[in-house]
Amino acid sequence: MDIIGNLLGTEGLLKASAGCAGFARELISLLPLASSEGFDIRSLIPNLPLLAISGSLHPVSVGQIEKAASSGILLEKISSTKLINSWADTKEAKELVLKVRTHLKNDKSCIVCTNGGLPREKADASAGKIARGLAQFAASIMEGQGELNVSIFGGDTLLSLMDMLSLDHLVPLTEIEPGIVLANAEGKGKKDDICYQIRGLRL
């Protein structure tokens, strides 16, 4: 599979690919990402407040979030039970949106995540609803907020947020850190810079 992928990439014929974890390791070399030679790729990230959205309950993601919060970044956890029950439309949610917006306007970063709270079996069955509820809440924060850096953990959360914001495709720019990509999310005349992390892929 890696050989075929490399051949397609060389000929400019690679449009989409999927495969095992071994194939994922090769994917980064096939994408037209910016080279890190000669400049600091972090300079591509605007100096703006960061809104991090995480729908991932993977231990690595949870550990990263807890470490960031321990450094003083505001962390807001929302239970999965709320997210699957249209919580984003409630008065409580709207008050939390205002709190986060104010925090971001003061040039401070913020993390919003789900803290689980459901048995594993039910969480797996409700993953789509949880991601959509979290994305709806994140979109409410972003609407009219102005420019932000946005980082997203979890593929379902990323896709749901793109749907909420009427963005239909990603254009990868560069890998900031292993597994974390800076990309333009584009669609319907809009373009946003988004950092995303999807477990299992070095994208």
Side-chain angles (χ1 to χ4, degrees):
M1 284 294 289
D2 291 350
I3 295 171
I4 293 171
N6 279 314
L7 286 173
L8 290 172
T10 301
E11 296 299 320
L13 298 174
L14 185 67
K15 302 301 180 185
S17 60
C20 62
F23 180 72
R25 286 197 301 270
E26 298 299 318
L27 185 57
I28 194 69
S29 66
L30 305 177
L31 294 172
L33 302 182
S35 169
S36 60
E37 294 182 11
F39 71 99
D40 180 5
I41 58 176
R42 290 177 177 270
S43 66
L44 295 172
I45 305 172
N47 185 23
L48 297 167
L50 170 69
L51 173 62
I53 309 296
S54 179
S56 173
L57 294 177
H58 188 274
V60 173
S61 299
V62 172
Q64 290 171 331
I65 288 166
E66 294 295 344
K67 184 175 181 180
S70 69
S71 70
I73 297 176
L74 177 67
L75 173 61
E76 295 292 348
K77 293 185 177 182
I78 306 168
S79 76
S80 296
T81 303
K82 288 181 177 180
L83 291 171
I84 62 176
N85 288 303
S86 303
W87 174 81
D89 293 322
T90 67
K91 180 181 178 182
E92 179 188 6
K94 290 174 181 175
E95 289 175 349
L96 187 55
V97 164
L98 290 175
K99 176 183 176 182
V100 173
R101 279 185 170 184
T102 300
H103 196 77
L104 292 168
K105 282 179 179 176
N106 291 330
D107 293 325
K108 296 179 180 177
S109 297
C110 179
I111 304 168
V112 177
C113 69
T114 176
N115 68 352
L118 290 174
R120 177 62 185 268
E121 202 170 285
K122 189 170 182 180
D124 289 345
S126 304
K129 287 185 177 179
I130 293 169
R132 190 156 185 84
L134 188 59
Q136 184 181 352
F137 179 73
S140 296
I141 295 170
M142 295 169 68
E143 287 172 4
Q145 180 68 28
E147 290 187 305
L148 290 173
N149 287 322
V150 180
S151 180
I152 303 170
F153 291 67
D156 289 341
T157 307
L158 171 64
L159 291 173
S160 293
L161 183 59
M162 288 180 65
D163 183 49
M164 291 281 175
L165 299 176
S166 299
L167 300 168
D168 55 29
H169 65 279
L170 291 170
V171 180
L173 300 176
T174 188
E175 187 179 45
I176 301 168
E177 295 284 351
I180 302 178
V181 167
L182 177 66
N184 284 334
E186 302 177 357
K188 299 183 180 178
K190 295 166 57 177
K191 183 171 86 172
D192 290 304
D193 291 335
I194 292 178
C195 283
Y196 61 93
Q197 180 184 59
I198 302 176
R199 188 175 79 239
L201 290 181
R202 281 180 51 84
L203 276 181

